[in-house]
Amino acid sequence: MSQNPPSLRPDLAPRAKLTDIPRKGQPTIGMVSLGCPKALVDSERILTRLRAEGYGISPDYTGADAVIVNTCGFLDSAKAESLDAIGEALTENGRVIVTGCLGAEPDYIREHHPRILAVTGPHQYEQVLDAVHAAVPPSPDPFIDLLPASGVSLTPRHYSYLKISEGCNHKCKFCIIPDMRGRLASRPAHAVMREAEKLVGNGVKELLVISQDTSAYGVDIKHAEANGHRAHITDLARDLGSLGAWVRLHYVYPYPHVRNLIPLMAEGLVLPYLDIPFQHAHPETLRRMARPAAAARTLDEIAAWRSVCPELTLRSTFIVGYPGETEAEFQTLLDWLDEAQLDRVGCFQYENVAGARSNDLPDHVPDEIKQDRWDRFMAKAQGISEAKLAAKIGQRIDVIIDDIDSDGIATCRTKADAPEIDGNLFVDEGTEGLSVGDIVSVEVDEAGEYDLWGCLNGNVAS
């Protein structure tokens, strides 16, 4: 088993898991899903619609009549990864439909891969279906091809992403997501709750709430109330917490009203976990990013949160080497991290992205300095993580089991760990009779830089 590496990119979703076995003669579609959890949810929606129309879902290129590549356009490196995936699908299968964030640049894609069948942008579900129908006409068997009650899931059965809104109203200079995915568009709260209830009813133990800006949920629809549910993140978190599953909040901007979520965490209604993209700490760097420059007040806010909920886990992402970042500004970031003592930290080296306003800023930082600052930042973050995990030795905590291998070693997560982007807790023995998705109580007996080890006390928590 390997420890969670410090270079793990925080923008990636878990690898899509496809378990369908197409029936003989059934038209089949393969899916390659790249990028963030929001894109993974889009992939699930596309495949659910296709499954309802009688298509089989192929786990690889070779068994598919066509392949959909759901692309990422977050960074230039992500764009390159998407182009590589399209090229691989063309080589292995030959019939490729492209969708997702990079699909907002169809000329760019066709310039590199003119043989693709069609290109659609992000969350353009109908256009994707039209492209599939043109490439591979459906041929459903009404006695066999029934839509599963929970739709098609690309994650393990015990956890699921729950997208509450699309788009973003921020205008960060380094980001082109609003250009690709549009302005904030919140789902009605009762629709979110209906989906969540269905997921929990089908065995999901953990709901991972995602959006581009979770704190802003409902602003665009004036926090409308319908069917007993109000479209405000505090109300939604409380309602989701009533379902009995773990509820984990991602992409939470530190607006003042976030403090109203903390008592819900202290009460145990939602997990004591906040994923907040701080990005930097120096006010001038934040100003050049076009982000709120209130790092000092943020430290006060973090202290207030922890006073209400001492068990709170804070995860964040940062950018080093942003244009104009001086050594003094970077040192401010390191000092801030020392004070903030964040539990989980991801870090990007700044990259230009076609269309981003930050490309035109002066004083771009040389690559070797970016690398040096990334190394120093991650060393600092690693030291904080190691100390925080060491303090957990001897504690009894609940964990959810993500995998049990052939040797009986269980890979688990604590309430402080989101899938793929955070650490794990490993149980080396005594796992007989346990199953993936069980929530069990363990005693922590060893700690590393990013991961924990523990032993069972024989109790299944839920």
Side-chain angles (χ1 to χ4, degrees):
M1 82 187 63
S2 61
Q3 291 192 351
N4 191 31
S7 59
L8 193 65
R9 272 176 53 185
D11 64 313
L12 299 181
R15 184 176 179 83
K17 295 174 172 60
L18 294 168
T19 57
D20 267 11
I21 300 176
R23 60 176 169 78
K24 185 176 181 180
Q26 185 177 25
T28 59
I29 303 297
M31 171 65 82
V32 179
S33 190
L34 304 172
C36 66
K38 294 177 285 294
L40 192 72
V41 172
D42 290 342
S43 296
E44 289 177 340
R45 289 180 177 175
I46 292 167
L47 293 181
T48 296
R49 294 283 299 276
L50 291 173
R51 180 68 184 82
E53 293 183 353
Y55 291 93
I57 311 302
S58 174
D60 54 41
Y61 300 120
T62 54
D65 295 304
V67 175
I68 300 170
V69 180
N70 192 359
T71 56
C72 179
F74 180 56
L75 300 168
D76 279 356
S77 57
K79 290 183 177 182
E81 182 182 8
S82 293
L83 289 177
D84 288 345
I86 295 168
E88 181 179 328
L90 284 168
T91 300
E92 298 292 331
N93 182 277
R95 296 167 60 77
V96 177
I97 296 162
V98 177
T99 189
C101 284
L102 191 57
E105 304 179 49
D107 293 341
Y108 174 78
I109 296 172
R110 290 190 181 280
E111 177 185 333
H112 290 83
H113 296 298
R115 292 196 297 123
I116 56 175
L117 300 177
V119 184
T120 72
H123 53 264
Q124 293 183 344
Y125 309 122
E126 298 300 330
Q127 291 90 327
V128 176
L129 293 173
D130 289 344
V132 171
H133 296 158
V136 185
S139 180
D141 182 330
F143 298 103
I144 299 175
D145 298 328
L146 300 176
L147 176 64
S150 60
V152 175
S153 175
L154 299 179
T155 55
R157 292 185 65 246
H158 62 285
Y159 68 80
S160 181
Y161 292 103
L162 181 66
K163 188 192 284 191
I164 63 173
S165 65
E166 189 56 83
C168 180
N169 290 346
H170 291 282
K171 296 181 179 179
C172 304
K173 288 187 177 180
F174 56 81
C175 183
I176 60 171
I177 295 296
D179 297 329
M180 293 186 291
R181 289 188 169 259
R183 292 180 60 79
L184 178 70
S186 301
R187 298 176 62 194
H190 65 89
V192 175
M193 286 302 299
R194 185 168 61 243
E195 181 181 353
E197 290 164 357
K198 191 176 296 184
L199 288 168
V200 173
N202 282 296
V204 167
K205 301 285 187 69
E206 180 179 7
L207 298 168
L208 299 110
V209 177
I210 58 169
S211 66
Q212 298 295 148
D213 180 358
T214 296
S215 306
Y217 171 68
V219 168
D220 57 308
I221 54 176
K222 297 181 169 54
H223 303 303
E225 183 172 347
N227 298 342
H229 298 285
R230 178 171 174 253
H232 188 286
I233 186 56
T234 306
D235 298 70
L236 181 64
R238 185 183 296 110
D239 290 347
L240 290 172
S242 70
L243 300 180
W246 284 11
V247 177
R248 190 180 301 277
L249 302 178
H250 286 281
Y251 312 113
V252 178
Y253 280 75
Y255 303 143
H257 68 263
V258 168
R259 64 182 65 132
N260 298 325
L261 293 168
I262 310 304
L264 303 181
M265 298 177 180
E267 294 169 26
L269 276 177
V270 298
L271 294 184
Y273 179 101
L274 280 178
D275 174 8
I276 298 181
F278 290 119
Q279 306 298 11
H280 211 278
H282 195 283
E284 282 302 304
T285 314
L286 290 167
R287 182 186 60 79
R288 291 194 303 275
M289 290 177 170
R291 292 180 65 82
R297 291 202 300 274
T298 299
L299 287 173
D300 293 339
E301 201 71 17
I302 288 172
W305 297 342
R306 285 173 169 157
S307 70
V308 175
C309 183
E311 300 302 312
L312 179 65
T313 293
L314 291 175
R315 129 165 288 281
S316 190
T317 52
F318 295 86
I319 298 172
V320 295
Y322 191 78
E325 183 190 58
T326 64
E327 178 61 26
E329 290 176 356
F330 175 69
Q331 186 59 50
T332 296
L333 174 57
L334 292 184
D335 294 342
W336 186 91
L337 194 60
D338 256 336
E339 277 201 72
Q341 291 286 299
L342 302 183
D343 304 85
R344 305 283 187 263
V345 174
C347 186
F348 292 103
Q349 295 180 47
Y350 172 80
E351 293 181 24
N352 277 343
V353 180
R357 293 179 295 154
S358 57
N359 300 353
D360 299 326
L361 290 172
D363 302 320
H364 280 243
V365 178
D367 288 345
E368 60 271 19
I369 295 179
K370 289 184 202 173
Q371 183 64 49
D372 174 70
R373 290 177 182 170
W374 187 89
D375 290 338
R376 290 156 61 195
F377 180 93
M378 290 309 300
K380 173 78 70 177
Q382 178 179 303
I384 293 170
S385 174
E386 190 170 13
K388 281 180 166 281
L389 293 180
K392 295 181 183 291
I393 294 175
Q395 294 183 13
R396 289 191 183 277
I397 56 179
D398 288 346
V399 300
I400 191 165
I401 300 176
D402 281 343
D403 181 64
I404 301 176
D405 69 16
S406 58
D407 295 322
I409 297 174
T411 300
C412 315
R413 287 180 293 108
T414 74
K415 293 178 180 179
D417 300 303
E420 302 291 327
I421 60 175
D422 294 327
N424 293 301
L425 183 145
F426 299 101
V427 179
D428 295 335
E429 55 186 26
T431 59
E432 300 83 3
L434 296 180
S435 302
V436 169
D438 284 347
I439 297 176
V440 299
S441 178
V442 302
E443 180 174 335
V444 179
D445 56 18
E446 187 179 342
E449 296 164 348
Y450 299 98
D451 300 303
L452 296 169
W453 285 258
C455 56
L456 291 163
N457 65 7
N459 296 325
V460 176
S462 65

